Amino acid sequence: MKRVLFVIFLILTLILAAYSFNRYWVHRFDALIARQAAIYRVDPDLVWSVIYEETYFSPWKTGKDGEIGLMQVTPTVGREWATETGMRELERQMASDPQSLLKDPERNIQIGCWYLEKIYGQFQDSPEPEMRMIAAYNAGPSRAVEWSKTPEPGGVQSGAEFINRIDIPSTKAYVLSIMQRYREVKSSRSSSAAVQQTEPVK
């Protein structure tokens, strides 16, 4: 009987440890995300959801097409960002050694947020702009603009219609996955806020 209880205790301990580690792993960059998202006026929950999908918070990862770091930023985007900053040292670093710069978590998140803000400017007046931003982040802004076109000039395209127009299966799956996670995070935050509001004041 003691052996059975010990095994049960051990299993529960391992489950709790795995849960605690996972919570730490997926939230250890939250402060960096919040800071850079605030600077570039993008939703930190959307940034978090993109990182979750891209690398599951692993800053050392590189993609098959040369993407680097947490948000899988390409050296091309990194160079665009460095040029826009006007800081020659950053331009020099991006030209000579983009790997080192883009593997730094805060710098990677900074550039990723800058790029998302840049994309947002193209879709801010569209319904559900987050879908279009994510599609552009994955497949390029020109493709997202093409998918956003409507038969009638000046027409309004819903988010669902936009999704249906995405003709790259991997991008469609990418957008759907991130949007589902993003909505879950938003729903969880709303539920937590509602619970806090209903708690009696001590």
Side-chain angles (χ1 to χ4, degrees), residues 77-96:
V77 170
R79 284 191 289 271
E80 288 177 17
W81 165 81
T83 300
E84 188 165 298
T85 65
M87 298 177 67
R88 292 183 178 178
E89 179 60 23
L90 290 175
E91 290 185 66
R92 186 190 65 76
Q93 288 180 30
M94 278 304 310
S96 62

Side-chain angles (χ1 to χ4, degrees), residues 130-154:
E130 294 87 0
M131 284 186 177
R132 303 164 205 272
M133 290 167 64
I134 295 166
Y137 193 87
N138 179 257
S142 61
R143 287 194 179 101
V145 168
E146 184 64 31
W147 295 328
S148 292
K149 290 180 179 177
T150 57
E152 297 293 329

Side-chain angles (χ1 to χ4, degrees), residues 169-189:
S170 60
T171 297
K172 181 179 289 189
Y174 176 89
V175 173
L176 290 172
S177 178
I178 290 178
M179 287 305 301
Q180 179 181 352
R181 188 166 296 108
Y182 175 61
R183 288 165 179 155
E184 287 172 355
V185 172
K186 285 296 184 191
S187 177
S188 177
R189 289 194 188 282

